[in-house]
Amino acid sequence: MRVVVNLTRCQGYAQCAFLAPEVFRMSGAEALMYDPQPDEAQRERVLRAAAACPVQAILVDHVDDQEAAVESATTGPAVSAWTPAPSRTARRPSPDGHDAAIETLRRHGRIVVVGASLAGLAAAATLRREGFTGSLTMIGDEPYRPYDRPPLSKQVLDGWVPADHTTLPRVDELNARWLLGVPATGLDLAGKQVRLGDGGLIEYDRLLIATGTRARPWFNADEAALDGVFVLRTRDDAAALRHRLAGRPRRVLVIGGGFTGSEVASTCRDRGLAVTLVERGPTPLVGALGAVIGAVAADLHREHGVDLRCGVTVTRLEGDTDLRLRRAHLSDGSTVDAEVAVVALGAVRNTEWLYDCGLAVGEWGVGCDAGCRAFDAAGVVTDDVFVAGDVARFPHPLYDYQFLALEHWGNAVAQAHIAAHNMISVPAERWPHLAVPVFWSAQFGTNIKSVGVPTLADQVVIAQGSVAQRRFVAAYGYQGRLTAAVGFNQAKWLESYQRLIEAGAPFPPDLRGVDEPALGQPVAAQIPDHRTRNRHATVSVTGHDPSERRAELLHHH
């Protein structure tokens, strides 16, 4: 039995925790934790909980809401979960040559997905559900089938759920060829081939790039190799760190106060461990939410006993003669004695294997249009290479067509649906990826949830609730327009803010009920400049006649 909770939808009503308490738990007022692979004896309770959920966020043995809609429309045990829904996939036959080519692709084509990830799995499921019956190959550099990453920093680290219980459901029903533990190392666009690390070549008619990100490593390789230094991105990372935390280290050092670092600090404090968190910015979460709301996050850390050091960096990790971590040296001259250090300095997009293949690709991601079609180095869209998930960099009309690269669970699923649909559709039937970004985090019993893009804002206002009680909504705006909203234990209100964002509503919003009037006035959001914004592609252009003009990306190693 596999359970996935769509936490972009969950509003923390907690009925599930009453109906199936061994599977669902509330941390604080709204933050939901759950066992992704409960015992089969819990099935009846889980199904009751799923039926009772007011927002239908609990998914049993499937990965997304679209699959649930398809499954509920089918009858009989012999009908596959990937059976196409007529209302979504029925297409009128056409004598048009382009249409005939798409029909041939749908029946007999070869589609390769590089990235055995959440996005890769969601895309594969969509392809099968929408009638693709051809060859489907899934390539992944890890030896595991797709698994869910959000539980790794929460349920897995706190010792409740084993790391191998995070596998996503229904991977066996895709009728796919799985090439796992073998990374893709190159792409031949002209020959339509993916090169593998073992020397193999995989041919395709359509390719989906969903290689995601990896944890940014500690800058000094020798120090990173010390016993006790960890990163947290993969299933193996989580299992190793969980084992070390079970040994009750005297102090855990967390380097980086983003979402992963803050969640690790929270989990360690829940386990009664001493924690020091070092953040180079003025507050935790400053890079995602700005310093105004980051200050509230800082208070949460301190209230729960975290030794929070902001405005400083770790300059050196020191080990003993047995190469075990013993101490960290900080930029202010102080030191922290710690047996475990978790490096949480953000992510690196897995794009190096694509360098020099002819696509618009760099450390900022793989450029694509709103239909998920990859750009080549000249900025022209390709028709047989698509991108989805964390690695995609795409223009969003709601944000002045700025190119966004989003490392969010919901974006990975939504974009994968769009990419998969467009891969097997004629141009007139393709869809744009216009979903408003949603992300969440659970820290210190507080559910932090966001809609929109807070970093694309110049002002923020407490729109409703009480900061002192840690139950409020902060609205973000840019040049008089609402761009995002962030709730602390106020998830049920964010759907209305999402509709306002989609409608291009003015900022500040009219509907406000602030318990502390002094906080109800817009102030500068204090969003730092992001390095991604300053990562410009270096391109050389050659030729004079339009037929000869060529663009080439220059990568600086």
Side-chain angles (χ1 to χ4, degrees):
M1 181 181 186
R2 306 278 183 181
V3 176
V4 176
V5 178
N6 185 346
L7 291 171
T8 62
R9 174 174 291 186
C10 175
Q11 295 179 3
Y13 286 103
Q15 280 91 333
C16 57
F18 288 103
L19 293 169
E22 294 185 24
V23 180
F24 304 98
R25 300 177 183 174
M26 300 304 296
S27 175
E30 288 188 9
L32 176 67
M33 305 294 177
Y34 65 96
D35 183 350
Q37 189 178 327
D39 188 275
E40 191 66 28
Q42 295 291 324
R43 177 174 289 276
E44 184 176 350
R45 294 184 180 89
V46 171
L47 291 176
R48 288 177 182 173
C53 177
V55 293
Q56 295 297 285
I58 300 172
L59 313 173
V60 181
D61 290 336
H62 56 87
V63 133
D64 56 60
D65 302 314
Q66 286 87 343
E67 292 172 29
V70 171
E71 188 173 20
S72 65
T74 62
T75 58
V79 179
S80 167
W82 311 123
T83 300
S87 62
R88 288 172 54 85
T89 60
R91 302 173 68 251
R92 290 193 295 269
S94 168
D96 180 79
H98 198 148
D99 205 53
I102 287 293
E103 286 301 324
T104 299
L105 170 71
R106 291 164 65 91
R107 294 176 184 176
H108 309 295
R110 301 164 299 179
I111 292 182
V112 173
V113 177
V114 182
S117 56
L118 172 67
L121 177 63
T126 301
L127 288 168
R128 291 305 192 200
R129 185 172 64 246
E130 296 205 1
F132 176 70
T133 57
S135 165
L136 180 59
T137 301
M138 308 289 291
I139 300 171
D141 59 350
E142 292 186 66
Y144 310 115
R145 299 286 180 95
Y147 58 88
D148 211 14
R149 296 187 190 276
L152 299 181
S153 61
K154 307 173 188 72
Q155 296 98 302
V156 172
L157 282 196
D158 74 5
W160 179 24
V161 175
D164 59 5
H165 276 209
T166 57
T167 302
L168 291 163
R170 291 190 168 172
V171 293
D172 295 323
E173 298 180 24
L174 292 175
N175 187 26
R177 176 190 180 194
W178 293 87
L179 300 177
L180 300 175
V182 182
T185 57
L187 175 62
D188 179 356
L189 286 177
K192 290 192 173 184
Q193 293 180 326
V194 176
R195 292 192 294 273
L196 301 181
D198 62 1
L201 293 173
I202 305 297
E203 297 182 337
Y204 64 86
D205 298 304
R206 292 283 191 274
L207 172 69
L208 177 67
I209 299 169
T211 45
T213 63
R214 63 185 184 275
R216 186 178 299 280
W218 185 243
F219 67 89
N220 183 303
D222 290 336
E223 294 174 10
L226 290 172
D227 181 25
V229 178
F230 297 85
V231 295
L232 180 58
R233 175 64 183 174
T234 69
R235 200 175 101 175
D236 289 343
D237 294 337
L241 181 55
R242 166 182 167 153
H243 176 75
R244 185 58 60 92
L245 295 180
R248 310 292 303 173
R250 287 191 294 272
R251 180 166 295 274
V252 177
L253 170 66
V254 180
I255 307 174
F259 283 106
T260 297
S262 295
E263 290 173 3
V264 169
S266 172
T267 301
C268 289
R269 290 301 299 139
D270 287 344
R271 299 189 67 154
L273 299 173
V275 178
T276 295
L277 188 149
V278 177
E279 162 58 40
R280 69 183 302 167
T283 72
L285 306 184
V286 64
L289 305 181
V292 174
I293 305 305
V296 182
D299 289 342
L300 276 176
H301 280 269
R302 294 188 176 104
E303 289 164 7
H304 288 83
V306 175
D307 172 26
L308 181 62
R309 314 276 189 97
C310 292
V312 296
T313 60
V314 175
T315 58
R316 182 166 66 92
L317 297 175
E318 178 186 338
D320 61 17
T321 55
D322 294 320
L323 299 181
R324 293 175 297 192
L325 176 69
R326 283 294 174 260
R327 186 172 295 107
H329 296 260
L330 277 55
S331 58
D332 62 1
S334 64
T335 60
V336 176
D337 291 339
E339 296 173 295
V340 171
V342 181
V343 179
L345 296 175
V348 178
R349 290 180 174 83
N350 294 317
T351 58
E352 293 89 347
W353 68 283
L354 294 167
Y355 284 6
D356 304 321
C357 74
L359 293 179
V361 57
E363 59 180 331
W364 31 265
V366 182
C368 65
D369 68 2
C372 305
R373 296 179 300 172
F375 290 122
D376 69 14
V380 178
V381 293
T382 61
D383 214 37
D384 49 17
V385 180
F386 292 72
V387 196
D390 297 359
V391 77
R393 187 169 174 85
F394 65 98
H396 202 303
L398 281 177
Y399 298 98
D400 300 327
Y401 295 92
Q402 289 196 48
F403 278 77
L404 306 179
L406 304 172
E407 298 168 25
H408 303 160
W409 193 97
N411 181 72
V413 173
Q415 194 169 35
H417 290 319
I418 298 297
H421 170 85
N422 291 347
M423 291 173 87
I424 55 174
S425 297
V426 294
E429 295 179 357
R430 289 175 177 164
W431 302 334
H433 177 49
L434 301 177
V436 175
V438 181
F439 71 85
W440 74 90
S441 178
Q443 303 172 22
F444 307 106
T446 299
N447 183 31
I448 303 173
K449 191 171 182 179
S450 166
V451 294
V453 185
T455 52
L456 299 181
D458 54 12
Q459 288 189 305
V460 64
V461 65
I462 304 302
Q464 62 187 74
S466 168
V467 172
Q469 297 176 17
R470 307 292 185 253
R471 296 182 66 86
F472 66 91
V473 176
Y476 291 73
Y478 179 70
Q479 297 185 352
R481 185 169 65 86
L482 184 68
T483 61
V486 174
F488 278 51
N489 284 339
Q490 292 278 270
K492 65 178 180 288
W493 292 103
L494 291 187
E495 187 175 343
S496 62
Y497 283 91
Q498 179 175 330
R499 288 194 293 267
L500 290 174
I501 293 168
E502 291 172 334
F507 175 87
D510 294 332
L511 301 176
R512 290 188 282 163
V514 186
D515 294 351
E516 296 119 355
L519 298 177
Q521 299 300 317
V523 298
Q526 299 181 44
I527 305 291
D529 289 333
H530 281 254
R531 286 175 295 174
T532 300
R533 295 181 184 174
N534 299 322
R535 291 174 182 167
H536 302 294
T538 303
V539 179
S540 67
V541 178
T542 59
H544 299 282
D545 186 88
S547 65
E548 299 174 344
R549 297 283 278 173
R550 296 289 184 271
E552 180 181 354
L553 277 165
L554 304 179
H555 296 290
H556 304 286
H557 300 285

